[in-house]
Amino acid sequence: MSYLDRVSECNTFDLQRYLAFTIEGQRVGLVRREFAALLARYPQVFDVNHEQVLLAPQLGDFAARSAAVEPVLRELAAHGHILGWRDEPLAVTESFSAAPLMQIERAAANHFGARTFGVHMNGFVRREDGLHMWIPRRSRTKPTFPGRLDNMVAGGQPIGKGLLDNLIKECAEEANIPAAIARRAQPVGLISYCAEVPEGLQPDIEFCFDLELPEDFAPRNTDGEVEEFQLLPIAQVAELVRDTREFKPNCALVVIHFLMRHGLLPPEHPEYVELAQRLASPTLPLT
Amino acid sequence: MSYLDRVSECNTFDLQRYLAFTIEGQRVGLVRREFAALLARYPQVFDVNHEQVLLAPQLGDFAARSAAVEPVLRELAAHGHILGWRDEPLAVTESFSAAPLMQIERAAANHFGARTFGVHMNGFVRREDGLHMWIPRRSRTKPTFPGRLDNMVAGGQPIGKGLLDNLIKECAEEANIPAAIARRAQPVGLISYCAEVPEGLQPDIEFCFDLELPEDFAPRNTDGEVEEFQLLPIAQVAELVRDTREFKPNCALVVIHFLMRHGLLPPEHPEYVELAQRLASPTLPLT
């Protein structure tokens, strides 16, 4: 196996299965044909044709769109077509910096192939015997990727919150990192990918942060989402990423990004150029 | 002006003007139609049709191809179609890690739209009053981009040399940085772009390095290619990149890459996602 295998595993899908999802001429997602057929039952909200799913144009602003879509999603959820309702709004947007066009329940995001955004932080320690990274194992009771390895701290980006503020909150909940330390986390770039998931597509961007921790700091999980933290030599982390599927797939990419920025995966590596280019690929593929 | 303007300036070209250049089924460049017409005069070496330029398939290996192409290039240079002959071989390759398919004189590289590779290093100092970057101004007598601002050290990648070895050599020549210090330069990723130049296309990848320098080190140019070095506050460097065309175009991208990795161009910046994705775009566009 190779580092590029990890990138490919986050970018495997068949575009033929999807229709573009468009609001006011902006491409905001991709909908699987089967789910589009369900949406077609609500012609006052969704205009479904053979090429795309359009939000009804008379829904003229954020509030009107969000209000019209919500009861449709609740009805689909009641019939078992959307699972795991969280009551957590997600912005539907053409890009991270664009004004959101509407909001939908997060559990429905992948059904629409809506862009998602999050923060991932690599926590590391420079010890005399080399660089080490804090690696958590996800709780066996988590609904997604139970028992897999993760980045030290990570979380989805809620609507209307700053990236660093969100990271500081997650640092406290996931690893008991005090705000005074978490605040030193350095933004270092992003990874982007488009993953096929059971519900549809997840075009995702994760903003990456590095946090160097003092040797005497030991993380402790406070929200029950982590089974254990291990401080591993970076060479061992690199091997786990390259040679196993122990890591949650997108977390493996965040580690690869770290290795490349810290000279631990050197530019002479035969995969270096392709890794650099594919880790930052545009997330929503064009049909 | 904006950071994205700098990226666009390195990626402006009209694909309609070019034909694919192919060796043994591998896409190794793009040739402008006018230059392809010149190559068509040498049918024993180049097979030119309306879609592409093919190297004659009977030229079966690196040595045969290089030997057959060289006299053609010398004749074209003698007639003024290739300027600035340097007697410096450049690998023609499908990717940085692939075995080169032939070598050509560097002065002809852009006529073939051959991929080029180089090393660029940002030299910086952490002072009490903040991060500063060493910025050279190119000599007014340089044939390319005279008098423009540059990265502290940069150079093209010659065939068969290691990236760090090349960087250490350039560090000595361009800034009088001792090898013991230069060796600490950290590989931190790459930028890639495809620029239109008078001769044709330059699909280029620059491997980026960071070098933190001690406060008491002052660079001195030893090869006459630098007019002066200035140690500038990073905010001023960022402004020069964003609001002026003072920087040599590709060097501006290397600075943007630095700013993003050091939290100086934060992820909340409206251009951040597009910058991250476009700085690493695949270099050779598909027709």
Side-chain angles (χ1 to χ4, degrees):
Chain A
M1 290 201 289
S2 75
Y3 294 115
L4 277 174
D5 289 338
R6 296 295 91 71
V7 178
S8 297
E9 284 157 16
C10 286
N11 289 281
T12 309
F13 53 86
D14 176 6
L15 266 191
Q16 300 303 313
R17 299 180 69 186
Y18 294 89
L19 297 174
F21 176 45
T22 306
I23 304 178
E24 297 250 318
Q26 293 188 53
R27 182 87 175 299
V28 293
L30 286 166
V31 179
R32 206 174 278 163
R33 289 171 191 276
E34 296 87 328
F35 193 73
L38 297 175
L39 298 178
R41 297 181 194 166
Y42 304 89
Q44 72 285 17
V45 182
F46 294 101
D47 172 9
V48 180
N49 62 43
H50 289 290
E51 286 180 354
Q52 55 184 335
V53 175
L54 295 147
L55 202 66
Q58 69 271 21
L59 300 168
D61 62 20
F62 181 95
R65 294 177 199 123
S66 306
V69 169
E70 208 210 342
V72 174
L73 300 185
R74 286 200 181 270
E75 195 169 306
L76 290 172
H79 289 87
H81 298 301
I82 298 171
L83 303 176
W85 197 276
R86 301 202 224 173
D87 266 327
E88 199 182 313
L90 181 101
V92 174
T93 181
E94 209 256 331
S95 74
F96 185 66
S97 54
L101 293 168
M102 68 170 176
Q103 67 179 34
I104 58 172
E105 155 61 20
R106 187 176 278 269
N110 295 343
H111 288 286
F112 287 92
R115 288 176 177 82
T116 54
F117 302 92
V119 291
H120 278 239
M121 190 190 84
N122 286 302
F124 65 100
V125 181
R126 290 189 205 274
R127 298 201 329 195
E128 233 171 63
D129 57 342
L131 198 147
H132 287 58
M133 192 178 263
W134 280 109
I135 302 292
R137 186 177 296 279
R138 296 162 67 87
S139 161
R140 311 272 164 180
T141 61
K142 275 200 88 124
T144 55
F145 303 102
R148 301 281 281 275
L149 301 180
D150 206 331
N151 302 125
M152 188 178 194
V153 170
Q157 187 58 25
I159 206 164
K161 195 171 185 110
L163 291 168
L164 188 60
D165 286 344
N166 186 31
L167 184 67
I168 291 170
K169 177 191 73 90
E170 296 285 350
C171 276
E173 290 174 6
E174 297 197 345
N176 201 31
I177 301 173
I181 294 182
R183 204 175 297 283
R184 293 181 212 148
Q186 172 136 310
V188 288
L190 56 81
I191 58 130
S192 55
Y193 61 91
C194 186
E196 184 141 46
V197 291
E199 300 81 14
L201 280 187
Q202 185 191 12
D204 188 43
I205 289 179
E206 299 293 348
F207 295 96
C208 301
F209 293 79
D210 278 0
L211 179 61
E212 183 170 353
L213 289 156
E215 263 196 73
D216 59 3
F217 175 80
R220 183 172 57 80
N221 178 249
T222 69
D223 64 3
E225 297 197 358
V226 172
E227 183 179 289
E228 59 162 354
F229 280 100
Q230 289 180 282
L231 185 65
L232 300 179
I234 194 67
Q236 187 182 342
V237 176
E239 271 177 42
L240 284 165
V241 165
R242 194 187 58 217
D243 300 336
T244 78
R245 291 198 180 84
E246 280 280 292
F247 271 91
K248 178 167 173 263
N250 64 350
C251 299
L253 307 195
V254 175
V255 173
I256 294 171
H257 191 256
F258 180 94
L259 297 172
M260 296 179 75
R261 288 182 292 99
H262 288 263
L264 301 160
L265 197 170
E268 291 82 7
H269 191 287
E271 298 180 328
Y272 194 85
V273 171
E274 197 177 340
L275 284 170
Q277 295 181 327
R278 291 183 64 192
L279 283 178
S281 61
T283 41
L284 206 57
L286 297 170
T287 40
Chain B
M1 290 203 287
S2 76
Y3 294 115
L4 277 174
D5 289 338
R6 297 294 91 72
V7 179
S8 296
E9 283 157 17
C10 286
N11 289 283
T12 309
F13 52 86
D14 176 6
L15 265 192
Q16 300 302 313
R17 300 179 69 186
Y18 294 88
L19 297 174
F21 176 44
T22 306
I23 303 178
E24 298 249 318
Q26 292 188 53
R27 182 86 176 299
V28 293
L30 286 166
V31 178
R32 206 175 278 161
R33 289 172 190 276
E34 296 86 328
F35 193 74
L38 297 175
L39 297 179
R41 297 181 194 165
Y42 304 89
Q44 72 284 19
V45 183
F46 295 101
D47 174 7
V48 180
N49 62 43
H50 289 290
E51 286 179 355
Q52 56 182 336
V53 176
L54 295 147
L55 203 66
Q58 69 271 22
L59 300 168
D61 62 20
F62 180 95
R65 293 176 199 124
S66 306
V69 168
E70 207 209 343
V72 174
L73 300 184
R74 287 201 180 269
E75 195 169 305
L76 290 171
H79 288 88
H81 297 302
I82 297 171
L83 302 176
W85 197 275
R86 301 201 223 174
D87 267 327
E88 200 182 313
L90 181 102
V92 175
T93 181
E94 209 256 331
S95 74
F96 185 66
S97 54
L101 293 168
M102 67 170 175
Q103 67 179 35
I104 58 172
E105 155 61 19
R106 186 176 279 268
N110 295 344
H111 288 285
F112 288 91
R115 289 177 176 81
T116 54
F117 302 92
V119 291
H120 279 238
M121 190 190 83
N122 286 303
F124 65 100
V125 181
R126 291 188 204 273
R127 297 199 332 194
E128 233 171 62
D129 57 342
L131 198 148
H132 286 59
M133 192 177 264
W134 279 109
I135 302 293
R137 186 178 295 281
R138 295 162 69 86
S139 160
R140 311 272 164 181
T141 62
K142 276 201 87 128
T144 55
F145 304 101
R148 301 279 282 276
L149 301 180
D150 206 332
N151 302 125
M152 187 179 195
V153 170
Q157 187 61 24
I159 204 164
K161 199 172 181 107
L163 291 167
L164 188 60
D165 287 344
N166 186 31
L167 184 68
I168 290 170
K169 178 191 75 88
E170 296 285 349
C171 277
E173 290 174 7
E174 297 196 345
N176 201 31
I177 301 173
I181 294 180
R183 205 174 297 283
R184 293 181 214 148
Q186 172 137 311
V188 289
L190 56 82
I191 57 130
S192 55
Y193 60 92
C194 186
E196 183 140 46
V197 292
E199 300 80 17
L201 280 187
Q202 186 190 11
D204 189 43
I205 289 178
E206 299 293 348
F207 295 96
C208 301
F209 293 79
D210 279 1
L211 180 61
E212 183 170 354
L213 288 157
E215 262 197 73
D216 59 3
F217 175 80
R220 183 172 57 81
N221 179 248
T222 69
D223 64 3
E225 298 197 356
V226 172
E227 184 179 290
E228 59 163 354
F229 280 99
Q230 290 180 281
L231 185 65
L232 300 178
I234 195 66
Q236 187 181 342
V237 176
E239 271 178 43
L240 283 164
V241 165
R242 194 187 58 217
D243 299 336
T244 78
R245 290 196 181 86
E246 279 280 292
F247 271 91
K248 178 168 173 262
N250 64 350
C251 299
L253 307 195
V254 176
V255 173
I256 294 170
H257 192 256
F258 181 94
L259 297 173
M260 294 178 76
R261 287 181 293 99
H262 287 263
L264 301 159
L265 197 169
E268 290 82 6
H269 190 287
E271 297 181 330
Y272 194 85
V273 172
E274 198 177 340
L275 284 169
Q277 295 180 328
R278 291 184 63 191
L279 283 178
S281 61
T283 43
L284 206 57
L286 297 172
T287 39

